[in-house]
Amino acid sequence: MTTLRQAYLKRGYSRVGGWLFPYSARFINSLLDLQLESGVRGSVGEIGVHHGKLFILLALGRRPDEAAFAIDVFGDQHLNRDDSGAGDREIFLNNTRRWLGADSARLDVLQRSSLDVRPEEILERSGRVRMASIDGGHTEDCVINDLMLVQSVLGPKGVVILDDHFNEFWPEVSSGVARYLLDPAASLRPFAITPNKTYFAAAEDVAFYRRSLRSRNDYYYEKSARLLGSELDIFGTQPWTFSLKTRVIKWIKATPAGPYARALRRRLAR
């Protein structure tokens, strides 16, 4: 992890307007590290950047020759059909200049609805994508459009991060994901969930990410589950996962005394 990315995680991202749970930020950071270490190449980007809270983290995880793109309606709020955000272009650009410095001039910023963006535009301007966040329109049609759009430009071992999938305030995101996953043309499958984020990759890459991220985030692993036929892992969504008691229990289970401790616990519970 670069020093600047470390600094942003420790004290920067909390000062940028937007919504990103601390553990999800750390999990996404571990994804960036995994891709860099595994030789996964491509651009990074986000649909619905708001003030740049997550976008800056993605941009800080690039190699020098990799592009970054941002898509947002910003001040054209008549295009924001569901009032799901109020991005500000100047605030966004100021935040990127602060954290990316001169490199912020290389960002590709598209001020328009993602419904009007074609895959060819992203490919021509930024190339194949290795990590993209979707946090744009929260209607069913927007969610399906954005998943299909990013699916079309994703490179090998590319990852898609979707916001608000299980947020009760935005039920159309959930139904949009269901419609997408049931579409025979959909090639992405979910592989992980963290607070307010669901992660997708091509079906052939799911096993790689599940195996690699489980080893990197094992302390925060809570359970595995199925989502419309896809196996995935859930990390860091419950408050007790971060408690001292849970830390102690997990440590004991990992020691040679673990089986004996479990047996004693079962006996005491009778």
Side-chain angles (χ1 to χ4, degrees):
M1 190 197 313
T2 65
T3 302
L4 190 55
R5 187 147 47 103
Q6 283 180 317
Y8 183 69
L9 279 173
K10 286 181 178 178
R11 63 179 183 272
Y13 97 98
S14 61
R15 301 175 184 176
V16 178
W19 305 268
L20 178 60
F21 284 86
Y23 176 68
S24 289
R26 297 201 301 272
F27 186 88
I28 292 167
N29 188 62
S30 74
L31 257 175
L32 288 166
D33 284 339
L34 173 60
Q35 287 192 333
L36 291 172
E37 293 165 14
S38 302
V40 182
R41 301 193 64 87
S43 62
V44 301
E46 184 169 32
I47 298 173
V49 296
H50 194 62
H51 294 173
K53 188 186 246 351
L54 175 52
F55 176 83
I56 293 169
L57 176 60
L58 298 178
L60 288 171
R62 291 175 300 158
R63 299 177 180 87
D65 62 339
E66 291 175 328
F69 65 91
I71 301 171
D72 200 297
V73 299
F74 292 117
D76 297 327
Q77 286 298 304
H78 63 283
L79 299 174
N80 185 5
R81 298 185 301 177
D82 57 349
D83 295 322
S84 54
D88 187 297
R89 187 183 180 106
E90 285 309 308
I91 294 176
F92 169 75
L93 293 176
N94 285 337
N95 286 331
T96 58
R97 280 191 288 266
R98 178 180 180 184
W99 285 98
L100 302 176
D103 193 43
S104 63
R106 296 197 305 118
L107 304 179
D108 189 17
V109 182
L110 298 176
Q111 182 169 335
R112 69 178 84 158
S113 167
S114 59
L115 296 173
D116 299 323
V117 177
R118 304 273 69 83
E120 295 75 21
E121 289 184 83
I122 296 175
L123 292 172
E124 289 172 6
R125 300 163 75 117
S126 302
R128 287 284 169 186
V129 179
R130 67 175 169 92
M131 190 175 298
S133 165
I134 296 177
D135 192 11
H138 283 37
T139 65
E140 281 190 21
D141 289 344
C142 281
V143 171
I144 296 168
N145 174 83
D146 292 351
L147 285 167
M148 286 294 187
L149 174 63
V150 177
Q151 169 185 306
S152 301
V153 299
L154 213 59
K157 285 191 168 64
V159 168
V160 179
I161 307 165
L162 180 72
D163 193 65
D164 285 327
H165 182 189
F166 297 104
N167 188 329
E168 61 270 25
F169 195 72
W170 301 109
E172 287 192 66
V173 177
S174 181
S175 54
V177 170
R179 284 179 54 194
Y180 168 82
L181 290 175
L182 294 172
D183 188 333
S187 62
L188 301 177
R189 290 295 177 266
F191 64 83
I193 292 172
T194 66
N196 215 38
K197 301 290 185 185
T198 304
Y199 303 80
F200 299 80
E204 62 269 23
D205 298 325
V206 164
F208 164 76
Y209 280 112
R210 290 188 69 199
R211 179 178 63 254
S212 303
L213 290 165
R214 177 72 183 273
S215 64
R216 290 168 179 256
N217 297 272
D218 189 58
Y219 171 73
Y220 301 99
Y221 168 79
E222 293 167 344
K223 62 179 285 190
S224 297
R226 292 183 66 84
L227 176 61
L228 291 173
S230 297
E231 290 276 353
L232 50 72
D233 301 313
I234 301 173
F235 300 87
T237 64
Q238 303 302 314
W240 57 77
T241 300
F242 302 89
S243 71
L244 178 60
K245 179 181 177 181
T246 301
R247 286 179 183 269
V248 172
I249 292 173
K250 286 205 170 190
W251 177 79
I252 292 174
K253 286 182 177 179
T255 68
Y260 302 102
R262 286 193 292 270
L264 177 61
R265 185 180 180 185
R266 286 194 295 269
R267 179 172 297 180
L268 293 174
R270 291 173 183 169

